[in-house]
Amino acid sequence: MKKSIGQIKAEALEKLQSAPDLESIQALSIRYLGRKGIVTQFLRNISKLPPQKRPDIGKEANEIKHFLDAQFREAIRRFETEPSETDDRIDVSLPGRTAQRGYLHPITQITLQICDIFTRLGFDIAEGPEVEKDYYNFEALNIPKNHPARDMQDTFYISDAIVLRTHTSPIQVRVMEKHSPPLRVIAPGKVYRCDSDLTHTPMFHQVEGLLVDKKVSFGDLKGILTTFVHRMFDDQTSLRFRPSFFPFTEPSAEIDILCVQCRGKGCRICSHTGWLEVLGAGMVHPAVFEIVGYDTTRYTGFAFGMGVERIAMLKYRIDDIRKYFENNFRFLKQF
Ligand code: FA5
C-alpha cells in the first residue's frame, strides 16, 4: 500500500474543503468511497497485509471510511440547504426595497400654482394644439406673412402652413372664435422656439391670459397682474411695466419682476440688471377682435403671456433654465 490511510484521510479532507460546488463534492465522495474508490480499495487490500497488522489497520481504515462518509454527507447537506453567495434565491429576512416616490416636475407644480391663482380670480382654463396652423399662431394675431414681427420668435416650421406654436396666444383666437364675450380664460401649454441659453430653451411653457368685457382698461390688467405677482411671490415683490410692442395688443408692455435672488442688485439669474422679464401683455388689438367677429365698439380686453420657467427660476432661485430639462433626478427631487 503506497499511501497510509491517514494520508488518504488528510488528502480527502483538504480536497473537500476546497470543493467549489455540490457536483465536485459528489465526485469526491465517489472518488474516495465509491465501489472503486481509494478508501474502498484500501480496505480490500488489507487482506494482503501480514496477519498481525490487519486488525489495527483494518479498524483504523473502517473508522476513517465512516468518518469521511459523514463528512461528505454533511457537506452535501450544507450545499443543498444553505444559499451560497452566488445563489439567486430570495432571502426573505432582508429588509424590503423601498419604492421611489414620484414627484410632479417643478414646472408642472408652478403651472398648477399659476392656474390656481387665476381660477380663484374667476378665470376658466382653456387649451389649444401644440402643432398649430400658421393662421392661429400668426395671421389671426395680426401678424401677416412677411411681417417683420415674425422675426421676434424663431419658428420651427412643420410646413408652410403648420408650425410648432411659438406662444400660447393662438389659444386666445381659438377661444374667441367659439365663445362670445364676456370671457376670462387662462391657457397653459408648451411652446417652441429655436432659442437656447441661460434664460431660453427651445421648448418652454407659457400661460396665456385673456379677459374681454365691457369697459376693461389697462388699469384692470395692472391690477390683475400685480395681484398675481403678490400671490405667487410676496407683497414685497415689485414689478415694472415697460412699453413694448406686440402686433396683437395695443398698447403693449413687457413686465419684469424684481429679481428675487439679488433684490435688484444684479446677479447671474437677472443678467446683472436686477430685473427678470416674465410677461408680455397689453390691450387686445381691435384688429384681432375684428378677425374673430367681436364688436370693437362694445368690448375691450387685455391679454398676457407669461414664461413659466422664468417664474420657476425666480421662485426656486435657479440660475440656469436648462437645468429643468436635463432630467437630473437629484435636481428634480428637491422641489
Ligand atoms: C409672447 O410670447 C407673447 N405671446 C406674450 C403676450 C401674450 C403678449 C398676450 C401680449 C399679449 P414673449 O416672446 O415676450 O411674448 O414671451 C413671453 C414670455 O415667455 C417672456 O416674457 C419670457 O418669460 C418667456 N420666454 C420667451 N422666450 C423664452 C424661451 N426661449 N425660454 C423660456 N422662456 C421664454
Side-chain angles (χ1 to χ4, degrees):
M1 287 192 210
K2 287 180 208 144
K3 281 185 191 166
S4 75
I5 188 69
Q7 282 172 321
I8 293 173
K9 175 188 171 188
E11 185 192 275
L13 286 178
E14 198 187 310
K15 289 199 168 129
L16 178 61
Q17 245 162 27
S18 54
D21 50 35
L22 190 60
E23 287 74 41
S24 346
I25 298 172
Q26 283 165 338
L28 273 179
S29 170
I30 293 167
R31 181 154 179 235
Y32 282 91
L33 304 175
R35 266 196 322 125
K36 292 182 184 162
I38 298 172
V39 176
T40 319
Q41 292 295 340
F42 187 95
L43 281 163
R44 276 197 198 121
N45 290 339
I46 286 178
S47 58
K48 294 179 191 157
L49 291 173
Q52 68 276 21
K53 283 193 178 172
R54 284 182 208 159
D56 287 350
I57 294 184
K59 186 171 175 249
E60 191 190 356
N62 258 318
E63 278 169 8
I64 287 177
K65 181 189 164 196
H66 292 302
F67 172 77
L68 287 178
D69 187 47
Q71 293 294 310
F72 285 131
R73 280 176 198 277
E74 173 58 18
I76 289 169
R77 189 197 61 77
R78 265 207 313 274
F79 257 100
E80 279 174 347
T81 52
E82 288 172 21
S84 71
E85 272 174 34
T86 55
D87 203 322
D88 56 4
R89 269 175 288 181
I90 295 165
D91 180 352
V92 288
S93 65
L94 286 174
R97 281 192 210 122
T98 47
Q100 291 266 14
R101 244 182 75 201
Y103 300 85
L104 285 181
H105 191 281
I107 298 302
T108 309
Q109 292 184 37
I110 294 289
T111 307
L112 292 175
Q113 280 177 39
I114 297 171
C115 290
D116 185 55
I117 293 171
F118 281 105
T119 46
R120 281 162 197 263
L121 292 169
F123 285 73
D124 293 325
I125 295 186
E127 282 183 342
E130 285 172 33
V131 180
E132 184 55 284
K133 289 185 179 154
D134 179 284
Y135 173 77
Y136 288 106
N137 198 77
F138 293 122
E139 279 182 50
L141 288 166
N142 202 26
I143 316 175
K145 282 213 163 38
N146 306 320
H147 191 284
R150 289 202 177 200
D151 290 345
M152 288 166 76
Q153 303 168 354
D154 290 316
T155 311
F156 291 111
Y157 279 88
I158 304 283
S159 69
D160 276 354
I162 307 285
V163 298
L164 290 184
R165 69 178 174 201
T166 55
H167 52 175
T168 42
S169 300
I171 305 174
Q172 286 183 37
V173 183
R174 288 182 173 274
V175 168
M176 288 191 283
E177 274 182 349
K178 280 206 190 112
H179 305 276
S180 23
L183 55 86
R184 283 173 189 224
V185 290
I186 49 158
K190 286 192 178 105
V191 300
Y192 303 85
R193 290 183 199 177
C194 193
D195 212 351
S196 181
D197 60 30
L198 276 184
T199 51
H200 296 81
T201 44
M203 185 284 299
F204 61 100
H205 297 75
Q206 286 189 338
V207 175
E208 191 79 7
L210 172 70
L211 187 148
V212 185
D213 207 338
K214 288 174 185 153
K215 295 187 183 155
V216 178
S217 72
F218 202 91
D220 296 319
L221 170 64
K222 283 183 86 173
I224 287 278
L225 290 180
T226 307
T227 306
F228 162 71
V229 169
H230 288 173
R231 291 195 184 167
M232 192 72 203
F233 297 96
D234 56 53
D235 288 355
Q236 307 307 313
T237 308
S238 353
L239 56 167
R240 71 176 185 188
F241 288 69
R242 279 183 292 110
S244 185
F245 170 77
F246 296 104
F248 38 95
T249 49
E250 181 60 33
S252 305
E254 273 178 321
I255 292 111
D256 304 331
I257 295 185
L258 189 70
C259 180
V260 187
Q261 175 75 15
C262 63
R263 290 280 169 188
K265 289 196 196 88
C267 68
R268 214 163 101 99
I269 296 189
C270 58
S271 309
H272 303 278
T273 60
W275 296 88
L276 200 79
E277 182 210 317
V278 288
L279 269 154
M283 301 304 291
V284 180
H285 199 293
V288 177
F289 277 165
E290 274 160 22
I291 286 168
V292 295
Y294 278 13
D295 183 349
T296 50
T297 59
R298 290 179 69 199
Y299 294 105
T300 50
F302 64 71
F304 56 84
M306 66 180 81
V308 179
E309 283 76 6
R310 300 280 173 85
I311 308 259
M313 283 170 83
L314 286 173
K315 187 94 182 162
Y316 298 130
R317 299 176 194 202
I318 302 297
D319 61 4
D320 186 343
I321 192 171
R322 293 167 293 196
K323 288 192 176 143
Y324 286 116
F325 303 116
E326 282 165 357
N327 280 340
N328 178 347
F329 194 56
R330 283 173 61 215
F331 170 78
L332 295 174
K333 250 168 98 166
Q334 301 172 85
F335 304 99

